[in-house]
Every structure is written in structure tokens, then in C-alpha cells.
């Protein structure tokens, strides 16, 4: 990609998200951070009102609007293909929303691309195997809203070989596999993460009850892959003073964070960690004066060993100085 195309693509990405990190841009375009910084300066010199903050990213100033983006022929073909797949592999509510968005996209296509889209629409066919049951017409739409708004969903679910049961779940993601859609969420009934097949959902409703802080679908899958690969994953529960909760947000996911319970005085966090006695123990020491390990005992022992080692080394240093 030449520099002009890269700068244009950066500008489009800045329009598509509220905040864009320089590292994400460097990863996408396969360049160095220095190159990205230079491209950002070029946009600023061209009059695009950008603001950035170290460690957060770049944003376009609110209220600034750019002319409609023109799509290439290849992008127009991709839109048509996606529309056909959406029509067969999503629920009617999500498909209706996508179709509405497609009308807006088609409105800004050039004449040649519009002709191409019209010709291709009748030439692409997606055949889906018939299903034994019809799930609610808005199930994906409700689940995606639940994930975006961090709200609990209430549903009537028919598990394989069992009667219908009412479930309240906190979805963390959806995925399509083996010709079916699934969601993974924390189930209030079972008090653990469960996987639900969407064609077995009889009813679904978005509630006003907020979700607790949960692991993302990607983080959950990484934990499950580690378990399947034979890595030992251990559960740990740590309670921190609420006053320092803001300082724990950035790094906790690196140590297997999966959920938390917030009270007026403290935040109790649950971890599933592959490196309990090294990684999690060392991280905890940074906040040890404001924290308490609820379980397991081997994590408490690991922290004690690390602190004893630190004390011995500090005592040696003091003796050398005196």
C-alpha cells in the first residue's frame, strides 16, 4: 500500500471508531509506530482536527464531518456477498437492520458500482439446510444489544432432553459453528459460564438488570484452549479496597480475570490463571496493602515466599550500606 492510500485508510478508520490506537494502526498496515505518527501529523497539517492522548489513542474532534466515502468495485462485491449471508444466517431483526444499512451504502456508490451490484444480486445464492425449529425472530439482535449495553437477558431455554427452563444469563459473545448460532454467558441458575444453542431458545427478552464485569469471549476461549491443551488453570478469588479499583482495570485480564462482585466497600475479583504462583502473585504484591486473598492457600503461600525473598535481599543491601 502506498503512503497516500495508507493515510486515506487511516482517516477512514478514525471515522469508524471513537478512539483508535497508534499500535492498532501500525499492526493493520504493517508499519512502524514512527510511520504512523508521521501519517497522523500529515492529516493534522491537512486540516483534519485530531487530538490524541498518550496511552489512549487518536480521535477526530466531535462535530467534524467528512464527505461520503467512495467504495471500490471489490468493496461493492463484498457488500453484496455479505448481504446474502446475512439474509440466511442471522435472525430477521438483524437482517432488516443490515438491509437498511445497505440502502445507505448503495446510495453513495458510483453509477458503475450500482450497476455491478444490481447484476450480482441475482447471481449469488446461499442455500441453508432447513431447521427443525424456528428460534425467536430477534434473538441475535437481543443478544448483541445485551452485550453492547451490558444488560442481563431473560430467556426460556430447552436444553437437550430436558423440559423448558427460565434462565437469566450475562452473554459475553456469540459465534456460529456446525450450522448453528451459539452464545456463551454467565448463567445465574448454574452460577457458571454455559454455552447455549440459539435454536433451542423459546423466548428471549432484554432486562434492565446490569451485568457484572465479565471476561470477553476471546479471553474466555483462550482460557478454555489452555485447559484443553493440558495447562493447569487454577481459580483465585481476591478482594480489594474499592478505592483502588480504578488502578486494577488495565492489567487484570493478563492474569485470567473472569468476573467481579462490587460492594460499597470492596471489589471481589475471580481469576482463572495459568500462572497463579508467579504472574498473579507478583501482580497482587503491587496492591497487597489494599488487598486480601480469599483463596487458594497456595497463592497466599506464593506471595509470602516472594515477600520473604524481597525482605532478605533488602536486609543484605542495608548491611552493605552500613
Amino acid at each position: 500500500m502506498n503512503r497516500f492510500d495508507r493515510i486515506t485508510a487511516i482517516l477512514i478508520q478514525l471515522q469508524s471508531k471513537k478512539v483508535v490506537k497508534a499500535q492498532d494502526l501500525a499492526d493493520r498496515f504493517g508499519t512502524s509506530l514512527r510511520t504512523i505518527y508521521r501519517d497522523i501529523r500529515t492529516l493534522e497539517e491537512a486540516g483534519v482536527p485530531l487530538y490524541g492522548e498518550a496511552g489512549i489513542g487518536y480521535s477526530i474532534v466531535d462535530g467534524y464531518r467528512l464527505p461520503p466515502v467512495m467504495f471500490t468495485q471489490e468493496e461493492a462485491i463484498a457488500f453484496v456477498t455479505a448481504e446474502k449471508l446475512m439474509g440466511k444466517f442471522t435472525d430477521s431483526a438483524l437482517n432488516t437492520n443490515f438491509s437498511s444499512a445497505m440502502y445507505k451504502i448503495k446510495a453513495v456508490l458510483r453509477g458503475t458500482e450500482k450497476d455491478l451490484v444490481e447484476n450480482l444480486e441475482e447471481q449469488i445464492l446461499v442455500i441453508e439446510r432447513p431447521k427443525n425449529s424456528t428460534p425467536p425472530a430477534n434473538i441475535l439482535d437481543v443478544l448483541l444489544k445485551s452485550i453492547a449495553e451490558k444488560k442481563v437477558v431473560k430467556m426460556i431455554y430447552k436444553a437437550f432432553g430436558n423440559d423448558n427452563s427460565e434462565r437469566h444469563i450475562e452473554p459475553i459473545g456469540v459465534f456460529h459453528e456446525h450450522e448453528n448460532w451459539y452464545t456463551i454467558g454467565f448463567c445465574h441458575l448454574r452460577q457458571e459460564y454455559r454455552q447455549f444453542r440459539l435454536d433451542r431458545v423459546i423466548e428471549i427478552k432484554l432486562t434492565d438488570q446490569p451485568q457484572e464485569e465479565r471476561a470477553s469471549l476471546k479471553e474466555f476461549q483462550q482460557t478454555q484452549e489452555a485447559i484443553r491443551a493440558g495447562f493447569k488453570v487454577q481459580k483465585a478469588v481476591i478482594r480489594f479496597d474499592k478505592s483502588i479499583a480504578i488502578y486494577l482495570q488495565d492489567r487484570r485480564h493478563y492474569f485470567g480475570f473472569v468476573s467481579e462482585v462490587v460492594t460499597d466497600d470492596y471489589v471481589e475479583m475471580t481469576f482463572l490463571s495459568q500462572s497463579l504462583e508467579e504472574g498473579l502473585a507478583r501482580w497482587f504484591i503491587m496492591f497487597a496493602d489494599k488487598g486480601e486473598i480469599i483463596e487458594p492457600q497456595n497463592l497466599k503461600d506464593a506471595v509470602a515466599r516472594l515477600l520473604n525473598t524481597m525482605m532478605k535481599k533488602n536486609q543484605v543491601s542495608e548491611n552493605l550500606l552500613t
Side-chain angles (χ1 to χ4, degrees):
M1 181 181 287
N2 61 46
R3 186 163 186 256
F4 176 81
D5 289 340
R6 186 178 64 248
I7 291 175
T8 302
I10 289 173
L11 183 54
I12 292 171
Q13 188 161 339
L14 286 166
Q15 287 183 265
S16 69
K17 297 180 69 176
K18 187 175 181 180
V19 178
V20 179
K21 293 182 179 179
Q23 187 61 59
D24 292 342
L25 293 171
D27 293 342
R28 176 185 172 185
F29 300 110
T31 63
S32 65
L33 281 172
R34 183 178 179 182
T35 298
I36 295 299
Y37 295 146
R38 188 167 60 246
D39 292 342
I40 292 292
R41 283 197 299 271
T42 299
L43 286 171
E44 291 173 329
E45 291 168 0
V48 179
L50 299 175
Y51 67 90
E53 192 170 338
I56 296 178
Y58 294 98
S59 299
I60 294 180
V61 173
D62 285 344
Y64 183 78
R65 295 291 180 268
L66 297 172
V69 175
M70 301 308 296
F71 298 102
T72 66
Q73 186 178 85
E74 291 77 12
E75 289 168 338
I77 292 172
F79 286 136
V80 177
T81 306
E83 185 176 25
K84 294 293 182 179
L85 292 170
M86 288 288 289
K88 290 294 183 181
F89 290 100
T90 61
D91 59 44
S92 59
L94 203 59
N95 184 40
T96 298
N97 292 334
F98 187 81
S99 295
S100 176
M102 277 298 298
Y103 281 116
K104 297 176 183 178
I105 290 172
K106 291 173 184 177
V108 300
L109 293 177
R110 290 171 292 196
T112 54
E113 276 71 45
K114 288 180 180 178
D115 292 338
L116 175 69
V117 166
E118 289 179 4
N119 292 333
L120 277 177
E121 283 179 336
E122 300 301 322
Q123 309 303 321
I124 300 175
L125 181 64
V126 178
I127 300 174
E128 186 184 14
R129 291 184 183 179
K131 293 183 178 180
N132 297 328
S133 60
T134 302
N138 65 336
I139 184 170
L140 275 171
D141 188 53
V142 170
L143 286 170
L144 293 173
K145 285 180 181 177
S146 167
I147 295 166
E149 298 175 11
K150 297 189 179 301
K151 296 289 182 63
V152 174
V153 296
K154 173 185 175 182
M155 66 184 187
I156 306 299
Y157 187 73
K158 182 175 178 59
F160 184 75
N162 296 324
D163 295 331
N164 297 351
S165 62
E166 182 177 291
R167 304 291 184 96
H168 286 78
I169 68 167
E170 302 177 31
I172 61 171
V174 298
F175 64 96
H176 190 274
E177 184 179 58
H178 306 310
E179 301 181 352
N180 283 293
W181 281 99
Y182 298 83
T183 185
I184 291 177
F186 186 83
C187 177
H188 291 191
L189 179 65
R190 305 302 183 194
Q191 284 298 299
E192 62 181 356
Y193 286 96
R194 288 295 181 95
Q195 179 172 302
F196 300 91
R197 213 171 91 174
L198 301 195
D199 62 343
R200 293 178 179 161
V201 176
I202 310 301
E203 296 178 14
I204 189 166
K205 179 183 179 182
L206 184 65
T207 74
D208 292 328
Q209 182 181 349
Q211 291 189 21
E212 295 180 12
E213 185 69 27
R214 303 289 180 191
S216 68
L217 179 60
K218 181 179 179 181
E219 291 162 347
F220 178 84
Q221 289 179 323
Q222 287 174 340
T223 300
Q224 296 304 305
E225 288 171 2
I227 293 172
R228 288 193 291 269
F231 292 102
K232 186 178 181 181
V233 177
Q234 292 180 278
K235 177 184 176 182
V237 180
I238 304 176
R239 186 175 293 172
F240 294 100
D241 287 359
K242 198 172 182 180
S243 61
I244 66 162
I246 190 173
Y247 304 108
L248 309 175
Q249 306 299 315
D250 291 339
R251 301 289 299 177
R252 61 185 183 178
H253 291 286
Y254 290 98
F255 305 101
F257 170 81
V258 291
S259 65
E260 69 179 13
V261 176
V262 181
T263 72
D264 292 337
D265 301 319
Y266 62 82
V267 178
E268 189 171 285
M269 299 183 181
T270 299
F271 297 82
L272 291 176
S273 176
Q274 300 175 44
S275 181
L276 199 67
E277 299 185 15
E278 284 294 325
L280 188 57
R282 293 179 184 277
W283 178 74
F284 172 78
I285 286 174
M286 291 191 292
F287 312 100
D289 62 320
K290 297 289 186 179
E292 175 188 1
I293 298 171
I294 307 301
E295 62 170 300
Q297 183 62 43
N298 61 323
L299 179 57
K300 297 179 181 180
D301 295 340
V303 170
R305 284 195 299 271
L306 288 170
L307 291 174
N308 285 333
T309 301
M310 291 168 57
M311 291 296 293
K312 288 178 181 178
K313 288 187 175 181
N314 287 333
Q315 288 171 359
V316 170
S317 300
E318 290 174 4
N319 291 336
L320 288 174
L321 290 172
T322 57

